[in-house]
Amino acid sequence: MERTTRQKTAIQAAIESAQRPLSAQEILEQASLQVTQLGIATVYRNLKSLVLEEKVHVVTLPGENPRYESNTAANHHHHHFQCTTCQRVFDVHDCPGDLKRMAPQGFVVERHELTLYGRCADCNAGASAAAAAAKAATAPHACASHHDPA
Amino acid sequence: MERTTRQKTAIQAAIESAQRPLSAQEILEQASLQVTQLGIATVYRNLKSLVLEEKVHVVTLPGENPRYESNTAANHHHHHFQCTTCQRVFDVHDCPGDLKRMAPQGFVVERHELTLYGRCADCNAGASAAAAAAKAATAPHACASHHDPA
DNA sequence: TTGTATGCAAAGCGTTTGCAGTGAT
DNA sequence: ATCACTGCAAACGCTTTGCATACAA
């Protein structure tokens, strides 16, 4: 039997109100604002259930710790763009498609994962100005006002 | 000043003789055949130098530990295919290209990472999982010791 | 009341680092 | 003889798990 707890509610709310994939640590920080004494273990346990319930989607980029985003936001096929300067991750609602024939003989492609790397609009704007902004934003992958482009 | 050691030689040899990206653990196992008492720390330290020397290339797939492959084999742009059954990783010498325009306004794409998932020729051949498993286990550096109860 | 969910702390796993000893030069 | 490299073990960061308690039902 599944129970509704303040913790789970806060965790789910944290994910849903974010417009970008959050790390477990970020979710802890965010949800802690509503549930003090919230433990990281509880976050992980709830993330696991939320993923099983398909309410949350895991975003795994190469070499990065998993991030979690609301499944409603991830319900359609999409990819990600990570800025090599500020490390922020953005959704890319586009897809090259047609990758099935890329595989060697006898291989069957079921799905694919694509990550673009480069400079986001902010970091690309001005060299020095962007660098400063990036530094500020680099803190635990904080994403201020820019999300979900496209 | 850089020194030539039995350890580094064995590690480099292990990577170069493999036909697929190897994990640190696999490299340890392979190189240990030639240098007993080889420690995992030494493997990691040498991998780091080999990567710096650009003799070895790191393959980071989403959610996977880093794998290492000879840089000569990775000198041209390519991608990877991971079998969802046996977990092995294969090179894909093809690329959809033309991804620069996928990014949102103001974003500049510098590079990209693509991973295909599906069934490799072996695992796809016999619908029988047993047959696939047998073949995989027979293969050079076999099917990851991972779980994944297909 | 009942037993799931929680918090804490300890354990795991992969990787890194400190340190004293080994060995290539 | 040097001093970079090695092996061991401890440290690390992230995630999971054990266990006694708290709280939703």
Side-chain angles (χ1 to χ4, degrees):
Chain A
M1 193 62 44
E2 193 148 290
R3 293 177 184 179
T4 302
T5 65
R6 296 179 309 127
Q7 288 86 343
K8 185 165 190 172
T9 303
I11 290 167
Q12 196 166 353
I15 297 170
E16 276 167 13
S17 61
Q19 296 95 326
R20 64 189 183 85
L22 300 180
S23 69
Q25 207 49 238
E26 290 174 313
I27 292 168
L28 173 65
E29 288 158 17
Q30 198 56 34
S32 289
L33 299 178
Q34 296 167 66
V35 180
T36 45
Q37 278 290 60
L38 176 61
I40 187 67
T42 299
V43 171
Y44 280 111
R45 278 187 283 235
N46 276 292
L47 284 175
K48 184 175 284 188
S49 348
L50 286 168
V51 169
L52 280 181
E53 298 166 31
E54 295 190 308
K55 289 176 182 165
V56 162
H57 182 247
V58 189
V59 178
T60 25
L61 300 191
E64 298 277 311
N65 293 330
R67 289 171 165 85
Y68 303 84
E69 70 182 353
S70 160
N71 199 33
T72 64
N75 238 342
H76 67 287
H77 178 74
H78 70 279
H79 296 296
H80 295 97
F81 178 105
Q82 181 168 38
C83 178
T84 53
T85 299
C86 71
Q87 316 303 325
R88 290 183 296 179
V89 175
F90 303 84
D91 284 355
V92 173
H93 305 284
D94 198 357
C95 177
D98 202 23
L99 301 173
K100 300 199 184 302
R101 54 182 184 184
M102 277 182 60
Q105 278 296 344
F107 284 53
V108 176
V109 177
E110 295 167 344
R111 67 187 186 86
H112 63 270
E113 229 33 271
L114 173 64
T115 311
L116 304 179
Y117 296 91
R119 312 189 47 152
C120 69
D122 283 354
C123 294
N124 199 40
S128 54
K135 268 194 176 178
T138 301
H141 309 323
C143 174
S145 47
H146 301 73
H147 46 27
D148 211 276
Chain B
M1 196 60 43
E2 194 147 292
R3 290 178 187 178
T4 303
T5 64
R6 296 180 308 128
Q7 289 85 345
K8 184 165 191 171
T9 304
I11 290 167
Q12 196 165 352
I15 297 170
E16 276 166 12
S17 61
Q19 301 95 321
R20 63 190 185 85
L22 299 180
S23 68
Q25 207 48 239
E26 289 172 313
I27 292 169
L28 172 65
E29 287 158 18
Q30 199 55 33
S32 289
L33 299 178
Q34 297 167 64
V35 181
T36 45
Q37 279 290 60
L38 177 61
I40 188 66
T42 298
V43 171
Y44 280 112
R45 277 187 283 236
N46 276 292
L47 284 175
K48 185 175 283 187
S49 349
L50 287 169
V51 169
L52 279 181
E53 298 166 29
E54 296 190 309
K55 289 175 182 166
V56 161
H57 182 246
V58 189
V59 178
T60 25
L61 300 191
E64 297 278 310
N65 294 330
R67 288 171 165 85
Y68 303 83
E69 70 182 353
S70 160
N71 199 36
T72 65
N75 237 342
H76 67 288
H77 179 74
H78 70 278
H79 295 296
H80 295 97
F81 178 105
Q82 181 168 37
C83 178
T84 53
T85 298
C86 71
Q87 316 302 325
R88 288 184 297 178
V89 175
F90 303 84
D91 284 355
V92 173
H93 306 282
D94 197 357
C95 176
D98 201 23
L99 301 174
K100 300 199 187 301
R101 56 182 184 185
M102 276 183 61
Q105 277 295 345
F107 282 55
V108 175
V109 177
E110 294 167 345
R111 68 188 184 84
H112 63 270
E113 230 33 272
L114 173 64
T115 312
L116 303 179
Y117 297 92
R119 312 189 46 150
C120 70
D122 283 354
C123 294
N124 199 41
S128 156
K135 269 197 174 179
T138 311
H141 287 36
C143 226
S145 47
H146 280 74
H147 10 60
D148 197 321

